[in-house]
Amino acid sequence: MTIHQAIASPGCGCDSQDMLHALISIDEALTRIAAHTAPVGRTEAVSLDRAFGRILAQAVRSRSMAPAFDNAAMDGYAIATSALTGPGPWVLPVVARVPAGQAVTTPVAGAVAARIFTGAPIPSGADAVVMQEDVQRDGDVIHLSRRPEPGLNIRRAGSDMASGATVLDKGQRLGPREIAACAAAGAGILRVRRRMRVALLVTGDEVRRAGGAREAAQIWDVNTPMLTASLACAGVEIVASAHGADSLAGLVRQLGDMASQADLVITTGGISVGEEDHVKPAVMALGGETLFSGVAIKPGKPVSVGRIGKAHWLGLPGNPVSAFVTWQVFGLALIRALSGEGPIPTRRHVVTASPIRRKPGRCELRPVTLAGFDAEGREIVSFEDATHSARVGLLSLADGLMFLSADAESLPAGALVEFQPFCQS
């Protein structure tokens, strides 16, 4: 059994430490994002074949019943069960052939049958469809040995959707299943929110394009391709992507230009308090403001959210695992709030595969892998002994994040912890 209720500890315990009084909890950070972020205002109409990945700005309602008429659920023979007299078997002449997509002209009157195919309308007078495997056909008659129940193998009109029924609410992302529902509802044109415009600025003098030439003290850039892929999954429009300048003045120019054309500016690195950390000073130099700067978590403590002019700003840490973890928790929450989509799916409870010993103080978000179920049917997660903010190699094996309360110093195997699956969008 998978448990979805939240663990009853305030803010995951992140804000329970006096020494961390300047930092806010995960839950407080998410609350601030939800309270201070409104969806982008503009909407547009798109055809159904161009709607994949978009966010509904208006509810979708069925234009008619679905199905629109009683129809056959399988290939067979339509009959009137009331015409089957006596104990059987019965011999019924086949008086009509009813393919899908054609109107019915011949009724089933009395002890007769109509050859019918999946999706074809039920002839008047018929109240059951006997599948072809259950009859023996001999020329123009069928032999039926078992009495069918009325309604057998018939899809009733309106059994899927009633006319005018709400099929999808606004705020839903349109994936294959949602698009199928829209098509069944006859909704060929949908009102959706404009794609959110995002600009990405990755800082760090040491980073170089993945696979390119690099010197001894340089590293390949992980954050740009990782976040570009994440943004593509989120269905946004990337309007700019650049490597951050190595000076405060250069960053001010870049961030100002990005903020003028984007709904959201994302930066990585440069948000701590070191001499080379220029991103927050650049944001402040542009008249920006912070909603929060610093969360009591490990990894990713410096994560920041604010505004630069009319654009929202998300400041992620520079270490790739920290950037990915904070993107999953805070970045997706911000994206969904700006796009009008609902909140990130609720965390659920899982149990640990092995004991844990750790240093308390901050809520730890540790990548974990789903590893089956225990004897009580609860999901089990396996994990490394510690979280390393720069080790990217194992991320591809992880399924989500385990939340370890700030005050938890040790946990036994089988301990109940919160789990948030990685979002693919």
Side-chain angles (χ1 to χ4, degrees), residues 286-313:
L286 289 164
E289 56 187 22
T290 57
L291 189 58
F292 60 82
S293 185
V295 179
I297 56 173
K298 176 184 179 181
K301 181 176 70 173
V303 63
S304 303
V305 170
R307 295 184 71 95
I308 307 172
K310 294 183 179 180
H312 291 260
W313 167 58

Side-chain angles (χ1 to χ4, degrees), residues 207-215 218-222 225:
V207 299
R208 294 294 181 269
R209 183 182 178 91
R214 61 179 183 178
E215 297 178 3
Q218 296 173 337
I219 60 174
W220 283 324
D221 178 9
V222 173

Side-chain angles (χ1 to χ4, degrees), residues 29-156:
L30 293 174
T31 297
R32 292 188 189 183
I33 288 173
H36 293 85
T37 309
V40 295
R42 285 183 51 199
T43 67
E44 57 190 16
V46 299
S47 60
L48 188 58
D49 60 351
R50 298 178 57 206
F52 177 76
R54 304 300 294 271
I55 307 299
L56 280 174
Q58 190 177 75
V60 175
R61 292 181 172 83
S62 178
R63 295 183 60 185
S64 67
M65 292 189 299
F69 49 85
D70 292 351
N71 67 87
M74 58 182 58
D75 293 350
Y77 294 86
I79 66 168
T81 57
S82 61
L84 302 178
T85 59
W90 303 272
V91 179
L92 306 176
V94 179
V95 297
R97 185 177 187 274
V98 189
Q102 294 187 17
V104 185
T105 58
T106 304
V108 172
V112 297
R115 180 71 166 117
I116 196 167
F117 297 88
T118 304
I122 301 297
S124 62
D127 66 349
V129 173
V130 182
M131 65 180 182
Q132 59 192 16
E133 292 85 354
D134 287 344
V135 304
Q136 181 180 351
R137 181 154 183 173
D138 184 10
D140 292 331
V141 300
I142 59 169
H143 297 262
L144 177 64
S145 59
R146 190 166 49 189
R147 183 187 297 274
E149 292 292 327
L152 178 69
N153 297 324
I154 293 178
R155 302 182 185 123
R156 293 299 182 188

